[in-house]
Amino acid sequence: MSKVPVGPFHPLLEEAEYFELTVDGETVIDIDMEIGWMHRGHEYISEMSSFTQSIYLVERICGICSTSHPLACVHAIEDIDNIEIPDRARYIRSLVGELERIHSHLLWLGLAGHFIGYDTVWMWAWKYREPVLQMMELISGNRNHYGMMRVGGVARDVEPEKLPELHKHLDMIEEKMKMIAKIANDDPVLKKRLKGVGVLTQEDARNYCATGPTSRASGVRGDVRKDDPTDAYDLVDFKEIVLSNGDVYDKLVVRVLEIIESVKICRQCIDKLKIVKGSFWNKVEQVGEGEGCGRYEAPRGEVFHYIRSDGTNRPIRHKVRAPSYVNIPTYEASCKGISISDALITLASVDPCYCCTERSMKIKDVHNKEVPDLLTLSRNKTEKIRREIND
Amino acid sequence: MILDNLFYLFVFPGFLFVAVLGLLVGWVDRKVSARFQFRVGPPVLQNFNDFFKLLGKQTIIVKDSVKSLFIAAPLLAFGTLCLIATMVGMALFFEQGFHGDLLVLMYLMMVYSVMLVLGGISTGNVYSSIGAGREIKLLLGDELVFILVCLIPIVKSGYAVNLEAMIIAQSDGMFIGSVSGVIGLIAGLLCIQAKMALRPFDIAEAETEIVEGPLMEYSGPLLAFWKLNHHIMYVAYPLVLVVLFFGGFNLQGIGILWAVLKYLLIVVLMIIIKNTNPRLQIDNALKFFWRVLAPLAFIGLILAVLGV
């Protein structure tokens, strides 16, 4: 028996994270996870900033779900005072949210291709992701951090003259996604590589509280967009994709089909934006005292924000629970007993986003003495530098 | 005579020729792959730049490694490949060979894999060890098929275990023109793919799994030699297939164009296979070789005996 380290820096991981596989030959018999390599103290910083600043801060939790976090955050703030938003803003929010889902799923598709050594899929998926970024640039002026969300509505309107171009890009994406779905259905080597790999059973998905495509591929229903519709999700028509096998192949198919559904939602939102006129923002002067929860179906699953306000202009508690936080522990169930090559694509199959998930961690050394965590170390260093400057 | 032999080994068709051609063909590989993936691809001399840059880099030798083995493995593998290239080149360009040279060739192609395994396990790195283990398994898989593939032209050329005799036997019709020849080429192509660690059989060096496997601890000039070895394989191994199934080269007039086309056909087929397949798991690869390809090659062999 030997231990294979995956991380903290490994070609499989775009971010720093540590997994230790205990292997017997090529078979993984145990997996140990260690999160806490990228803790940045977002919740703490958010509690020191105003509500408006918080929204832009949580956007930077993750570069890929950079509209899911702000959306859940504004939902939470609006929940405190039951703030209503105009219809036009609802459609714009859903449009941006769905475009983000398309680009995030395409990004995962490319990376998954790269992880199984299929670099052609990687490049093709990212080529088709490019128009989504261009659409985002057209709508918000930015390719990655859109800054579209605001308490009471959205920050920018989508001008009517931009709508036809959005349709054109969506047509292209839908066509290519159907092509990719066909490839996934036809390619025998791809099936051989992914079918029956890293199965997460329905029971395990429930027990580990998995969310998003990870749980839906295992046959567990659950989509915030359907269960607790906010924004325009109760006004548009779309299907919730649920498959039953729970292997990596089904996780791939769920995502590809979800992209096609997202395109459908985007089309409906764009069409409605032509009809629904009016303001895109209700002015909100002050957030009252109380607490609020916000949920949104991020590309990886349900993202949850909790905000408590004491009537001042800043949250006194801001709690973030990202989907990867519940999806990463499912490795315990899905990675044991399979080979290393299968285990590694399974690690990538939940589309883990480590920077969303990060928590500060306490480490104990061999003498069971507590080693200061990164945040404390960082603060001590700042203190030291400050003292040196003052001297 | 000795001078001649040295020229054959070090200049043409040996070391210098395959090294330069290999680095150029490596560019073809990268460029075609890039065009497959909507990328622009590197300039022609990129592989030369990479090679010479690596030569100038520091070599870090792992403290706990078996140093002699660690250093000797890439150099011996390099020597083996130069020998393979010389033997094939002599048969192709000068129509010279000796009785039983195909057997020697098959052995030498195995020696390369053994060198990769030795280099990998000499470091003690866990990724390298896994990679070396996978390379051994893969060798067990592809070797049987490759032997069967080599038997097909042996049978068809009247039981001559001699590259030169095979070329002569194909002077009135290439073996690829028969059913058994086609089967042999398909199986042979996939074996070469496995021997060269190209997708779908780059299992031993799987970058996103075990971080280049046996090559993980290599750096500087030693890594440069491993890279050069890989490029040399791009010349030597397809040329073996050219001898076995395409009847070698006729380097007169329009024959030169045919020679280039024959060689490029095999290389491009390899690049296409490489770019349209994901990496297989090692158990699936073994199943593929033993359950699919070995029976296929055996059928090819029976057809060859029957003269089809």
Side-chain angles (χ1 to χ4, degrees):
Chain A
M1 249 186 287
S2 56
K3 297 204 185 297
V4 177
V6 180
F9 301 102
H10 188 279
L12 185 80
L13 311 164
E14 309 92 81
E15 303 158 57
E17 206 69 21
Y18 186 70
F19 300 99
E20 196 176 70
L21 309 177
T22 309
V23 297
D24 184 9
E26 282 257 348
T27 316
V28 177
I29 49 180
D30 199 9
I31 179 167
D32 189 25
M33 291 159 245
E34 204 172 272
I35 59 173
W37 291 81
M38 328 228 314
H39 184 63
R40 290 166 297 167
H42 263 105
E43 293 177 3
Y44 184 77
I45 303 170
S46 172
E47 286 153 21
M48 296 193 295
S49 351
S50 71
F51 284 111
T52 321
Q53 287 169 330
S54 287
I55 296 166
Y56 291 103
L57 177 77
V58 294
E59 189 163 349
R60 275 138 188 92
I61 287 180
C62 175
I64 299 164
C65 13
S66 60
T67 216
S68 302
H69 280 287
L71 202 43
C73 183
V74 293
H75 284 161
I77 300 172
E78 283 160 4
D79 189 35
I80 297 175
D81 268 358
N82 294 323
I83 299 165
E84 286 293 319
I85 63 164
D87 271 357
R88 194 171 171 79
R90 286 170 154 217
Y91 287 112
I92 296 177
R93 278 186 183 184
S94 290
L95 173 65
V96 176
E98 290 311 308
L99 284 178
E100 182 194 76
R101 191 180 318 280
I102 298 173
H103 108 77
S104 173
H105 282 350
L106 277 173
L107 184 117
W108 176 83
L109 192 67
L111 284 177
H114 174 54
F115 295 150
I116 58 170
Y118 210 157
D119 283 357
T120 311
V121 166
W122 178 24
M123 293 296 165
W124 283 38
W126 283 27
K127 178 184 154 70
Y128 301 139
R129 175 174 168 260
E130 183 64 23
V132 188
L133 298 184
Q134 282 169 4
M135 283 156 87
M136 281 301 197
E137 193 178 2
L138 200 68
I139 292 173
S140 70
N142 292 316
R143 283 162 61 89
N144 255 319
H145 290 288
Y146 321 115
M148 283 294 280
M149 297 308 151
R150 171 149 72 162
V151 180
V154 288
R156 288 177 209 90
D157 197 7
V158 180
E159 287 88 0
E161 64 267 20
K162 289 177 182 166
L163 298 176
E165 196 170 343
L166 297 181
H167 264 311
K168 209 176 65 193
H169 286 309
L170 285 173
D171 286 345
M172 193 283 280
I173 291 167
E174 191 176 23
E175 183 193 324
K176 298 297 177 193
M177 279 311 109
K178 284 186 175 151
M179 182 188 86
I180 286 183
K182 195 166 175 295
I183 290 174
N185 203 17
D186 290 348
D187 193 337
V189 188
L190 202 63
K191 274 192 177 163
K192 194 96 186 151
R193 183 70 179 84
L194 298 179
K195 271 228 163 180
V197 166
V199 177
L200 181 69
T201 58
Q202 192 173 10
E203 195 192 342
D204 279 332
R206 279 225 174 80
N207 289 345
Y208 283 94
C209 300
T211 157
T214 311
S215 73
R216 289 199 286 275
S218 301
V220 181
R221 255 204 79 253
D223 188 329
V224 180
R225 295 177 294 170
K226 280 278 186 206
D227 305 337
D228 180 16
T230 47
D231 307 324
Y233 289 116
D234 45 355
L235 306 172
V236 294
D237 167 48
F238 69 100
K239 271 208 308 263
E240 182 182 350
I241 310 287
V242 182
L243 298 179
S244 56
N245 292 330
D247 52 6
V248 179
Y249 181 78
D250 271 15
K251 284 174 186 148
L252 184 144
V253 175
V254 162
R255 290 198 170 91
V256 171
L257 295 180
E258 267 186 20
I259 293 176
I260 296 175
E261 289 302 309
S262 289
V263 169
K264 230 177 359 178
I265 300 177
C266 286
R267 282 230 183 86
Q268 295 173 45
C269 286
I270 293 170
D271 288 340
K272 288 284 183 188
L273 280 176
K274 287 177 189 160
I275 307 163
V276 181
K277 301 282 181 216
S279 158
F280 56 91
W281 180 47
N282 287 343
K283 194 165 175 147
V284 178
E285 294 278 354
Q286 182 74 33
V287 178
E289 203 179 327
E291 53 185 8
C293 297
R295 308 160 77 188
Y296 179 67
E297 183 75 16
R300 289 159 183 75
E302 178 194 343
V303 53
F304 174 87
H305 278 239
Y306 167 81
I307 287 182
R308 191 159 75 227
S309 159
D310 59 353
T312 56
N313 70 337
R314 61 182 62 177
I316 56 171
R317 180 73 182 100
H318 187 172
K319 155 91 184 133
V320 180
R321 201 219 59 183
S324 298
Y325 190 66
V326 285
N327 283 343
I328 288 175
T330 62
Y331 298 158
E332 283 267 330
S334 55
C335 284
K336 282 184 189 168
I338 56 180
S339 74
I340 295 176
S341 1
D342 289 348
L344 292 188
I345 179 64
T346 311
L347 289 190
S349 70
V350 306
D351 197 2
C353 180
Y354 301 114
C355 57
C356 291
T357 307
E358 287 307 303
R359 296 290 176 274
S360 69
M361 62 174 178
K362 294 234 186 242
I363 308 170
K364 284 181 177 163
D365 65 7
V366 282
H367 308 296
N368 217 15
K369 217 177 92 187
E370 227 167 65
V371 179
D373 61 274
L374 285 176
L375 192 64
T376 319
L377 286 174
S378 160
R379 282 184 195 153
N380 290 349
K381 193 179 168 194
T382 317
E383 272 301 307
K384 195 178 146 216
I385 293 169
R386 198 174 284 157
R387 245 180 285 129
E388 278 169 8
I389 292 171
N390 286 345
D391 287 348
Chain B
M1 188 61 192
I2 293 172
L3 221 57
D4 272 1
N5 285 342
L6 284 180
F7 176 81
Y8 291 147
L9 191 57
F10 286 104
V11 184
F12 183 85
F15 161 57
L16 203 63
F17 170 68
V18 280
V20 173
L21 188 61
L23 290 170
L24 283 174
V25 174
W27 170 77
V28 172
D29 168 35
R30 290 173 72 170
K31 192 78 180 174
V32 175
S33 297
R35 296 316 299 164
F36 255 96
Q37 302 168 357
F38 300 115
R39 290 186 287 118
V40 179
V44 185
L45 294 180
Q46 188 60 49
N47 283 326
F48 292 89
N49 295 343
D50 289 350
F51 177 70
F52 287 116
K53 188 176 178 185
L54 271 178
L55 280 185
K57 291 280 180 190
Q58 188 192 1
T59 304
I60 299 165
I61 295 178
V62 186
K63 217 168 157 189
D64 297 335
S65 66
V66 186
K67 286 187 189 63
S68 50
L69 210 54
F70 183 75
I71 296 170
L75 302 176
L76 283 176
F78 173 70
T80 312
L81 284 172
C82 283
L83 211 54
I84 294 175
T86 313
M87 284 171 61
V88 184
M90 288 303 283
L92 272 175
F93 300 112
F94 301 106
E95 295 187 355
Q96 284 181 27
F98 54 88
H99 197 66
D101 54 0
L102 183 59
L103 290 178
V104 178
L105 209 66
M106 281 150 71
Y107 269 112
L108 286 178
M109 285 166 95
M110 208 190 322
V111 167
Y112 176 81
S113 296
V114 173
M115 284 306 144
L116 196 63
V117 171
L118 288 181
I121 56 176
S122 67
T123 63
N125 184 301
V126 62
Y127 295 125
S128 301
S129 313
I130 294 173
R134 288 180 176 189
E135 179 74 30
I136 294 173
K137 288 173 201 156
L138 197 60
L139 190 65
L140 291 177
D142 66 38
E143 204 57 32
L144 171 68
V145 184
F146 190 67
I147 292 168
L148 288 172
V149 166
C150 287
L151 283 176
I152 293 174
I154 290 177
V155 169
K156 288 187 85 73
S157 59
Y159 298 93
V161 195
N162 186 339
L163 296 178
E164 187 199 347
M166 276 178 194
I167 293 173
I168 294 167
Q170 293 183 67
S171 54
D172 52 345
M174 295 184 282
F175 292 158
I176 188 68
S178 60
V179 180
S180 57
V182 172
I183 292 176
L185 181 72
I186 293 170
L189 207 58
L190 288 165
C191 284
I192 297 287
Q193 205 86 358
K195 284 182 182 298
M196 286 183 57
L198 296 177
R199 266 166 223 126
F201 305 114
D202 63 334
I203 306 163
E205 294 168 19
E207 186 209 343
T208 47
E209 289 168 21
I210 49 171
V211 207
E212 298 286 343
L215 309 187
M216 169 146 194
E217 293 289 356
Y218 279 98
S219 55
L222 292 179
L223 181 64
F225 271 100
W226 277 125
K227 296 280 174 199
L228 184 64
N229 288 344
H230 195 254
H231 289 304
I232 290 178
M233 283 198 283
Y234 257 119
V235 182
Y237 287 13
L239 285 186
V240 174
L241 286 186
V242 167
V243 173
L244 294 185
F245 296 105
F246 286 94
F249 294 158
N250 174 19
L251 293 172
Q252 276 156 5
I254 197 80
I256 295 176
L257 181 69
W258 276 116
V260 173
L261 282 182
K262 278 177 194 172
Y263 169 63
L264 277 184
L265 173 76
I266 292 177
V267 170
V268 169
L269 274 178
M270 281 159 63
I271 298 172
I272 290 175
I273 296 174
K274 174 188 157 186
N275 277 301
T276 48
N277 281 293
R279 185 189 310 120
L280 281 172
Q281 300 100 316
I282 183 72
D283 47 342
N284 276 339
L286 279 188
K287 276 180 203 158
F288 177 70
F289 275 116
W290 281 343
R291 291 194 189 158
V292 182
L293 226 46
L296 184 75
F298 196 68
I299 291 170
L301 183 59
I302 291 171
L303 288 177
V305 173
L306 296 176
V308 182

